[in-house]
Amino acid sequence: MSISTPGGPERRPTVVSTGKKPAAGRPAAGAKATGAKAGPNKSGSAQRAGGGGKGPRKPITPVKVSQGRSWGPIALFVAVGVLATSIIGFGAWATFKGSQSWEDKAADIAGIVNYRETDPESLTYESHQSGKIEYKYSPPVGGAHNNAWQRCLGDVYDAPIAAEHAVHSMEHGSVWLTYRPDLPAADVEKLASVIRGNDFMLMSPYEGLDSAVSLQAWGYQLKVDSADDPRIKEFATTLAQNASIEPGVPCSSGNYTTGTGTEPRELAPPTGG
């Protein structure tokens, strides 16, 4: 049996009866789902009403984000390690240098000549001598000398001095720094800054020098080509007073001269020693 509604602006849908009653618990055909959830399925998991569920969602695997290394702490650690190693190394080096004798320190100066070992005979003498003395080495490094010594209280002489007086100063333990007369004034001042005011040191220009600078102590010599050479100060500080063969004799009092000129002065009769 079919029921139709009269025509008009709105028409109801035609319902065709099949003559069958809807099954119990199931909505009639054409009815919308109520949104109620169905009971558990065979696996025990809930499904949505209407049988449209697909079961529980799989857990989402967290994505691991790879982070770059933090180089700041690593660099700091390395820097601290290098600094610590340097401090320890310097301390060990300073301890070693401090334990060395002055002779060993002198031997470590590159280019130094030790005439005490290579030519000890050139350093021997019997007594003080008057007048000019011929020396084997130029500038001389020891041997016979005048009775008067050149004052060596860090004196900076601007003219040549008599080698005979300077050698006597070296006998007392002084370092005699000589330089070529044509050396620029700025270089002369650099040299003077090493000598000036330091006991058992003196300096003066020296005619005929075969290097820019030559340093002498009793039995030792070092020649360099630049006033900036760090060995100049190393030589002066290492050998001053240490190289003395008359320990305890000063440069500050007694029979000394402050005069310039290459002719030796006779301030007292020559005596032995």
Side-chain angles (χ1 to χ4, degrees):
M1 172 179 180
S2 62
I3 301 174
S4 60
T5 58
E10 293 183 0
R11 297 182 63 185
R12 294 181 180 272
T14 300
V15 179
V16 179
S17 175
T18 60
K20 295 183 180 180
K21 293 183 179 180
R26 297 182 62 183
K32 292 184 179 180
T34 62
K37 293 183 179 178
N41 60 14
K42 292 181 181 180
S43 63
S45 60
Q47 293 184 338
R48 295 180 181 225
K54 295 182 179 180
R57 294 183 179 180
K58 294 182 179 180
I60 299 175
T61 303
V63 179
K64 294 183 178 180
V65 179
S66 177
Q67 296 181 350
R69 291 187 178 180
S70 180
W71 290 106
I74 296 175
L76 179 61
F77 178 80
V78 172
V80 170
V82 171
L83 178 61
T85 302
S86 300
I87 292 173
I88 294 172
F90 177 79
W93 176 83
T95 301
F96 169 73
K97 293 294 286 184
S99 65
Q100 281 187 303
S101 66
W102 70 266
E103 291 95 341
D104 289 338
K105 292 178 182 178
D108 286 343
I109 301 174
I112 195 171
V113 180
N114 184 353
Y115 290 106
R116 296 186 182 195
E117 292 183 354
T118 62
D119 192 5
E121 292 184 1
S122 66
L123 307 176
T124 60
Y125 70 98
E126 295 181 358
S127 61
H128 293 151
Q129 297 181 23
S130 299
K132 294 293 291 182
I133 300 173
E134 293 296 324
Y135 291 101
K136 184 175 182 179
Y137 301 105
S138 180
V141 295
H145 49 269
N146 191 274
N147 181 60
W149 63 87
Q150 196 78 25
R151 193 177 72 174
C152 42
L153 296 174
D155 293 274
V156 175
Y157 298 97
D158 59 4
I161 60 176
E164 293 79 5
H165 298 312
V167 172
H168 195 158
S169 299
M170 290 192 290
E171 183 186 41
H172 292 185
S174 71
V175 167
W176 180 26
L177 186 155
T178 56
Y179 61 93
R180 204 164 50 211
D182 62 352
L183 212 61
D187 287 346
V188 175
E189 181 55 32
K190 290 177 183 177
L191 298 174
S193 68
V194 175
I195 302 300
R196 187 181 290 117
N198 292 314
D199 200 5
F200 292 96
M201 295 186 191
L202 72 159
M203 66 176 278
S204 65
Y206 191 91
E207 295 287 348
L209 197 60
D210 58 359
S211 62
V213 181
S214 181
L215 296 104
Q216 292 69 227
W218 189 274
Y220 292 91
Q221 189 170 61
L222 174 68
K223 294 186 177 184
V224 300
D225 294 323
S226 171
D228 294 315
D229 197 310
R231 293 174 295 169
I232 294 172
K233 186 173 183 178
E234 187 177 6
F235 183 102
T237 56
T238 299
L239 279 81
Q241 198 168 1
N242 287 325
S244 172
I245 60 171
E246 286 188 345
V249 179
C251 282
S252 58
S253 62
N255 193 35
Y256 68 81
T257 179
T258 58
T260 57
T262 57
E263 287 296 322
R265 291 169 170 76
E266 300 301 332
L267 304 182
T271 59

